[in-house]
Amino acid sequence: MDVAAGRVQVKDAAAKWRADLLHRGSTSERMERVFRLHIDPIIGHMQMAHVRPAHIRSWVKDRSAVLAPSTLAVVYSNLVSFFGAAVIDRAIGISPCLGVRLPDSDKAGHFVPIPDQVHTLAENLPPRYSAVSYLAAGCGMRGGEIFGLEIDQLDLKRREVDISQQLVCISGQAPYLAPPKTKTSARTAELPKVVCEALAAHLKRFEPVEIEIVDATDPRNVVTRTARLVFTTNMLQPMHRATWAHIWAPAARTADIPKGVGLHCLRHYFATLLIHKGASVKAVQLALGHSTPMVTLNTYVGEWPEAGEKTRRLVDESLGHTPRLA
């Protein structure tokens, strides 16, 4: 065991651990926020070797009062990873997270808007952003993929969009272009007629202009280049998530979208539409750009028809009635 490492305070050891991780900027920012808000103030002052399961159970009880069970599970997973790495580095002998139980996670499903709400959003968003709702609901694109979309990625004649980058916003930095969320997030999506019409109207009214932006889509060759983004602010700058939040909120209220539900609900609309129309798990995975079919299943498992009922129907359709037995 590294006795000296065991004497280091949790907050200092965690900061060094995060600095060594191979995370993208947005993930690093989220993890830094998790430790700063939920871990460091409670156990950050303790020496690594002094943290016991009792301290972690006390931490779980404290955080359960302010975090939803699903959010607490995400925060706790970061803590488990940190102490697991400390065991591997021999700073401590055993993780204090072993044997610690979390509250049962809430089972609330995703909010999925109905078609009228999608249209109401488009009608009540500022004209510069009306087409955003149709790209999300009609193609399942994430917000970062939409706001990182350049004109060269669109082919309205073939009715296709090349999703190969996203716009990333990190506090204290200007928005920049980065690779998609996962390797499988890079995809070519079909553009339904309603989406093509919305984009054609948008481009006719708001022609993209050239702007300078940092391009980190190749992490080994980060450059500043000229881009022609399809969606920008009124000041012809890349969209920032804080700016979008102010734009989204009034339209969402008009469309009766619950408070706290963002643009991602339109991606849920797209996914559930495919599922209810008979799309397979693999088809939905590819359309959404999920990393694995398991991610798709875990996210939308409740949306597929009951397997038992589907099995009975398939057998009945295939075998029909039993022959007359002697």
Side-chain angles (χ1 to χ4, degrees):
M1 299 298 301
D2 187 341
V3 177
R7 295 195 185 106
V8 175
Q9 290 186 333
V10 168
K11 62 181 180 181
D12 296 328
K16 184 181 185 305
W17 172 70
R18 294 196 307 271
D20 293 337
L21 294 177
L22 297 177
H23 283 319
R24 293 179 181 175
S26 55
T27 303
S28 297
E29 182 193 27
R30 286 194 297 271
M31 190 171 287
E32 185 277 333
R33 187 165 60 248
V34 161
F35 276 83
R36 173 168 47 84
L37 296 179
H38 301 297
I39 297 174
D40 291 351
I42 301 173
I43 62 172
H45 66 285
M46 298 185 65
Q47 292 183 13
M48 292 287 294
H50 290 175
V51 182
R52 298 288 184 266
H55 298 119
I56 303 301
R57 288 194 292 269
S58 177
W59 174 87
V60 168
K61 184 176 181 179
D62 179 272
R63 292 297 87 188
S64 296
V66 295
L67 297 175
S70 57
T71 304
L72 176 62
V74 174
V75 173
Y76 180 68
S77 68
N78 294 152
L79 193 62
V80 170
S81 297
F82 164 61
F83 278 115
V87 172
I88 294 174
D89 289 339
R90 299 189 179 182
I92 55 177
I94 189 171
S95 171
C97 297
L98 291 177
V100 176
R101 292 186 58 185
L102 297 182
D104 292 335
S105 181
D106 45 6
K107 301 297 182 181
H110 307 291
F111 174 79
V112 180
I114 61 176
D116 284 348
Q117 289 176 302
V118 177
H119 292 303
T120 301
L121 281 169
E123 292 168 359
N124 287 276
L125 284 168
R128 179 178 285 275
Y129 309 112
S130 292
V132 169
S133 61
Y134 290 117
L135 270 172
C139 299
M141 293 178 66
R142 301 177 176 91
E145 294 169 348
I146 293 174
F147 294 119
L149 186 64
E150 294 187 66
I151 187 64
D152 293 341
Q153 295 173 254
L154 287 175
D155 189 335
L156 297 186
K157 290 184 179 180
R158 293 188 177 184
R159 291 171 57 180
E160 292 179 345
V161 55
D162 170 38
I163 303 173
S164 55
Q165 63 188 31
Q166 64 171 330
L167 188 72
V168 174
C169 300
I170 298 177
S171 299
Q173 296 185 29
Y176 64 91
L177 298 175
K181 184 176 181 180
T182 66
K183 290 182 179 179
T184 52
S185 294
R187 62 201 187 276
T188 298
E190 299 176 349
L191 292 174
K193 183 179 179 181
V194 63
V195 181
C196 281
E197 291 175 349
L199 284 171
H202 171 82
L203 294 173
K204 184 177 180 179
R205 185 169 181 181
F206 304 102
E207 183 177 355
V209 297
E210 294 184 346
I211 61 173
E212 294 294 310
I213 190 169
V214 173
D215 184 344
T217 52
D218 181 356
R220 295 168 296 183
N221 184 31
V222 178
V223 297
T224 299
R225 66 173 178 87
T226 299
R228 298 178 67 201
L229 298 178
V230 175
F231 298 100
T232 57
T233 67
N234 290 329
M235 301 299 292
L236 303 181
Q237 293 297 313
M239 178 63 67
H240 195 282
R241 62 187 178 193
T243 305
W244 174 250
H246 289 295
I247 294 170
W248 168 265
R253 284 197 299 269
T254 304
D256 292 327
I257 304 294
K259 185 178 181 181
V261 175
L263 179 63
H264 208 74
C265 72
L266 300 181
R267 181 170 158 88
H268 295 322
Y269 167 83
F270 174 73
T272 54
L273 175 64
L274 296 185
I275 294 169
H276 295 164
K277 293 298 182 180
S280 67
V281 176
K282 188 65 177 180
V284 178
Q285 177 217 343
L286 294 176
L288 293 175
H290 281 161
S291 56
T292 66
M294 188 58 67
V295 172
T296 307
L297 273 175
N298 288 341
T299 306
Y300 298 107
V301 64
E303 299 296 337
W304 264 276
E306 284 295 328
E309 179 61 34
K310 186 175 181 180
T311 300
R312 288 191 291 268
R313 177 174 56 80
L314 290 174
V315 172
D316 287 339
E317 290 175 354
S318 176
L319 295 179
H321 299 289
T322 58
R324 183 173 298 176
L325 300 177

